[in-house]
PDB file of all heavy atoms in Angstrom:
ATOM      1  N   ARG A 184      -5.313  36.468  -5.788  1.00 91.00           N
ATOM      2  CA  ARG A 184      -3.960  36.842  -5.354  1.00 91.00           C
ATOM      3  C   ARG A 184      -3.809  36.728  -3.837  1.00 91.00           C
ATOM      4  O   ARG A 184      -2.740  36.348  -3.336  1.00 91.00           O
ATOM      5  CB  ARG A 184      -3.617  38.252  -5.847  1.00 91.00           C
ATOM      6  CG  ARG A 184      -3.510  38.328  -7.365  1.00 91.00           C
ATOM      7  CD  ARG A 184      -3.169  39.700  -7.890  1.00 91.00           C
ATOM      8  NE  ARG A 184      -3.284  39.713  -9.341  1.00 91.00           N
ATOM      9  CZ  ARG A 184      -2.337  39.278 -10.176  1.00 91.00           C
ATOM     10  NH1 ARG A 184      -1.182  38.824  -9.680  1.00 91.00           N
ATOM     11  NH2 ARG A 184      -2.518  39.319 -11.480  1.00 91.00           N
ATOM     12  N   ALA A 185      -4.870  37.027  -3.100  1.00 87.00           N
ATOM     13  CA  ALA A 185      -4.819  36.875  -1.644  1.00 87.00           C
ATOM     14  C   ALA A 185      -4.701  35.405  -1.262  1.00 87.00           C
ATOM     15  O   ALA A 185      -3.929  35.045  -0.359  1.00 87.00           O
ATOM     16  CB  ALA A 185      -6.066  37.487  -1.012  1.00 87.00           C
ATOM     17  N   ARG A 186      -5.443  34.557  -1.951  1.00 85.00           N
ATOM     18  CA  ARG A 186      -5.373  33.120  -1.668  1.00 85.00           C
ATOM     19  C   ARG A 186      -3.985  32.578  -1.999  1.00 85.00           C
ATOM     20  O   ARG A 186      -3.421  31.774  -1.242  1.00 85.00           O
ATOM     21  CB  ARG A 186      -6.428  32.369  -2.479  1.00 85.00           C
ATOM     22  CG  ARG A 186      -7.861  32.623  -2.021  1.00 85.00           C
ATOM     23  CD  ARG A 186      -8.863  31.994  -2.980  1.00 85.00           C
ATOM     24  NE  ARG A 186     -10.232  32.303  -2.626  1.00 85.00           N
ATOM     25  CZ  ARG A 186     -11.134  31.402  -2.222  1.00 85.00           C
ATOM     26  NH1 ARG A 186     -10.789  30.137  -2.109  1.00 85.00           N
ATOM     27  NH2 ARG A 186     -12.360  31.765  -1.919  1.00 85.00           N
ATOM     28  N   LEU A 187      -3.448  33.011  -3.136  1.00 89.00           N
ATOM     29  CA  LEU A 187      -2.127  32.537  -3.554  1.00 89.00           C
ATOM     30  C   LEU A 187      -1.052  33.016  -2.583  1.00 89.00           C
ATOM     31  O   LEU A 187      -0.134  32.260  -2.243  1.00 89.00           O
ATOM     32  CB  LEU A 187      -1.832  33.043  -4.970  1.00 89.00           C
ATOM     33  CG  LEU A 187      -0.767  32.291  -5.784  1.00 89.00           C
ATOM     34  CD1 LEU A 187      -1.113  30.816  -5.917  1.00 89.00           C
ATOM     35  CD2 LEU A 187      -0.631  32.929  -7.155  1.00 89.00           C
ATOM     36  N   ALA A 188      -1.189  34.248  -2.110  1.00 87.00           N
ATOM     37  CA  ALA A 188      -0.209  34.798  -1.175  1.00 87.00           C
ATOM     38  C   ALA A 188      -0.226  34.056   0.157  1.00 87.00           C
ATOM     39  O   ALA A 188       0.789  34.016   0.867  1.00 87.00           O
ATOM     40  CB  ALA A 188      -0.472  36.282  -0.950  1.00 87.00           C
ATOM     41  N   ALA A 189      -1.382  33.467   0.496  1.00 84.00           N
ATOM     42  CA  ALA A 189      -1.501  32.740   1.765  1.00 84.00           C
ATOM     43  C   ALA A 189      -0.889  31.350   1.683  1.00 84.00           C
ATOM     44  O   ALA A 189      -0.746  30.680   2.713  1.00 84.00           O
ATOM     45  CB  ALA A 189      -2.972  32.637   2.163  1.00 84.00           C
ATOM     46  N   GLN A 190      -0.528  30.900   0.480  1.00 89.00           N
ATOM     47  CA  GLN A 190       0.051  29.576   0.296  1.00 89.00           C
ATOM     48  C   GLN A 190       1.568  29.658   0.208  1.00 89.00           C
ATOM     49  O   GLN A 190       2.133  30.650  -0.250  1.00 89.00           O
ATOM     50  CB  GLN A 190      -0.527  28.922  -0.968  1.00 89.00           C
ATOM     51  CG  GLN A 190      -2.026  28.693  -0.886  1.00 89.00           C
ATOM     52  CD  GLN A 190      -2.611  28.102  -2.163  1.00 89.00           C
ATOM     53  OE1 GLN A 190      -1.969  28.061  -3.199  1.00 89.00           O
ATOM     54  NE2 GLN A 190      -3.849  27.652  -2.076  1.00 89.00           N
ATOM     55  N   ILE A 191       2.221  28.597   0.637  1.00 91.00           N
ATOM     56  CA  ILE A 191       3.671  28.515   0.525  1.00 91.00           C
ATOM     57  C   ILE A 191       4.030  28.414  -0.956  1.00 91.00           C
ATOM     58  O   ILE A 191       3.360  27.724  -1.729  1.00 91.00           O
ATOM     59  CB  ILE A 191       4.193  27.293   1.302  1.00 91.00           C
ATOM     60  CG1 ILE A 191       3.865  27.441   2.792  1.00 91.00           C
ATOM     61  CG2 ILE A 191       5.699  27.122   1.116  1.00 91.00           C
ATOM     62  CD1 ILE A 191       4.132  26.194   3.605  1.00 91.00           C
ATOM     63  N   SER A 192       5.102  29.102  -1.365  1.00 93.00           N
ATOM     64  CA  SER A 192       5.459  29.147  -2.782  1.00 93.00           C
ATOM     65  C   SER A 192       5.935  27.784  -3.285  1.00 93.00           C
ATOM     66  O   SER A 192       6.442  26.955  -2.525  1.00 93.00           O
ATOM     67  CB  SER A 192       6.563  30.179  -3.022  1.00 93.00           C
ATOM     68  OG  SER A 192       7.796  29.717  -2.478  1.00 93.00           O
ATOM     69  N   ASP A 193       5.777  27.578  -4.589  1.00 94.00           N
ATOM     70  CA  ASP A 193       6.258  26.339  -5.198  1.00 94.00           C
ATOM     71  C   ASP A 193       7.765  26.176  -4.995  1.00 94.00           C
ATOM     72  O   ASP A 193       8.257  25.064  -4.786  1.00 94.00           O
ATOM     73  CB  ASP A 193       5.944  26.338  -6.701  1.00 94.00           C
ATOM     74  CG  ASP A 193       4.466  26.130  -6.994  1.00 94.00           C
ATOM     75  OD1 ASP A 193       3.707  25.822  -6.047  1.00 94.00           O
ATOM     76  OD2 ASP A 193       4.066  26.283  -8.159  1.00 94.00           O
ATOM     77  N   ALA A 194       8.501  27.278  -5.060  1.00 94.00           N
ATOM     78  CA  ALA A 194       9.955  27.210  -4.905  1.00 94.00           C
ATOM     79  C   ALA A 194      10.337  26.618  -3.554  1.00 94.00           C
ATOM     80  O   ALA A 194      11.336  25.889  -3.445  1.00 94.00           O
ATOM     81  CB  ALA A 194      10.562  28.600  -5.065  1.00 94.00           C
ATOM     82  N   GLN A 195       9.560  26.908  -2.529  1.00 94.00           N
ATOM     83  CA  GLN A 195       9.834  26.353  -1.208  1.00 94.00           C
ATOM     84  C   GLN A 195       9.408  24.892  -1.102  1.00 94.00           C
ATOM     85  O   GLN A 195      10.005  24.119  -0.352  1.00 94.00           O
ATOM     86  CB  GLN A 195       9.109  27.181  -0.142  1.00 94.00           C
ATOM     87  CG  GLN A 195       9.636  28.595   0.022  1.00 94.00           C
ATOM     88  CD  GLN A 195       8.768  29.411   0.957  1.00 94.00           C
ATOM     89  OE1 GLN A 195       7.731  29.945   0.577  1.00 94.00           O
ATOM     90  NE2 GLN A 195       9.186  29.497   2.203  1.00 94.00           N
TER      91      GLN A 195
END
Side-chain angles (χ1 to χ4, degrees):
R184 294 180 188 278
R186 290 173 184 245
L187 201 57
Q190 297 177 347
I191 298 170
S192 71
D193 287 351
Q195 293 173 278

